Structures are given as structure tokens and as C-alpha cells.
Amino acid sequence: MTFAWWHIIILLLPMLPTFWSIWHIWNHAFETMQRKVAWLALVVLLPVLGGLIYIFFGRRQAMPLNTI
């Protein structure tokens, strides 16, 4: 069996929500640091599912860093 470049894309595709969520959490502020850490822990400990949960429910709680 040969390993093609598109195999890598298929393997990484489900991880995109996780990578984007980690980037978004890191670059935005939350009401408290505990909330930020909790979202980050959820996304890291439940990779694909945590990323999707953050996109649908946590993204609205984030504020741009310059509004602190």
C-alpha cells in the first residue's frame, strides 16, 4: 500500500476545528482567566469534539484583546 499526500489531508481535516479553536482562544480575552483556561483545557483534552463545542458555544464569549 502506498501513502499518498491526500492521506495526510484526510487525517488532518478533523483536527482543523481544534487548531482554529486553540488559536482563537489564545488570541482573545475572556471575562476571567479561569474561563479561558477551561475552554483551552476542553479543546485540548477532547480534540475534535472540544473544538466543535468551542466553535458553537464558546466563540461568542470571547472578546478581542484590545477591548480589555
Side-chain angles (χ1 to χ4, degrees), residues 25 28-43 54 58 61 63:
I25 293 168
H28 285 77
F30 289 81
E31 290 180 20
T32 63
M33 184 58 77
Q34 289 84 3
R35 185 166 289 189
K36 184 173 190 168
V37 170
W39 277 116
L40 196 56
L42 177 77
V43 171
Y54 176 76
Q61 298 174 9
M63 299 171 287

Side-chain angles (χ1 to χ4, degrees), residues 12-25 39-55:
L12 291 178
L13 194 61
M15 294 301 293
L16 286 178
T18 301
F19 295 145
W20 183 86
S21 296
I22 291 170
W23 175 83
H24 193 265
I25 293 168
W39 277 116
L40 196 56
L42 177 77
V43 171
V44 170
L45 294 176
L46 297 174
V48 176
L49 184 61
L52 292 173
I53 291 171
Y54 176 76
I55 288 171

Side-chain angles (χ1 to χ4, degrees), residues 1-4 6-7 11:
M1 181 175 154
T2 60
F3 196 72
W6 57 270
H7 290 125
L11 290 174

